Amino acid sequence: MIQSATCGIHHVGLAVPDLDTAMDFFVDALGWESLGRNDDYPAGFVSDGVITLTLWRVAFPTEATPFDRRKNVGLHHLAIAVSDEAALHAVFARVSNFPGVTIEFPPGPTRPGSARMHFICGMPGGIRLEFTPLN
């Protein structure tokens, strides 16, 4: 067996239709830190202290094609860990009331009979996010 040439994810870049709304979602709904912006690019950077995201605004938001997880190759969803089931419900309450968020389904088992809980939502702009406890 060969040793891995990599050591984890440095950051994830997401293309969004509205940079301000995406930044506000991560900062205001999830409590992440804004690490700054580059309005020439245009991009913003946010982190929860473990994950760093680059949020890049597409050039022509009104012409952008929404991702269809059943038709397109690409990011199906981004799974974000929360500490426990109580935190899962708290995050659900916060994001479900945030403007532009669509709830795909509320907290429930990841599959029939599973003790692990999760929920999936579409953040403003449509990118699918899954939230699930670490344990």
Side-chain angles (χ1 to χ4, degrees), residues 95-108:
V95 303
S96 63
N97 291 314
F98 196 84
V101 168
T102 57
I103 301 299
E104 193 167 315
F105 55 83

Side-chain angles (χ1 to χ4, degrees), residues 73-103:
V73 173
L75 180 73
H76 184 271
H77 69 279
L78 178 64
I80 300 173
V82 297
S83 58
D84 55 30
E85 196 171 321
L88 179 72
H89 289 281
V91 167
F92 177 76
R94 291 176 73 169
V95 303
S96 63
N97 291 314
F98 196 84
V101 168
T102 57
I103 301 299

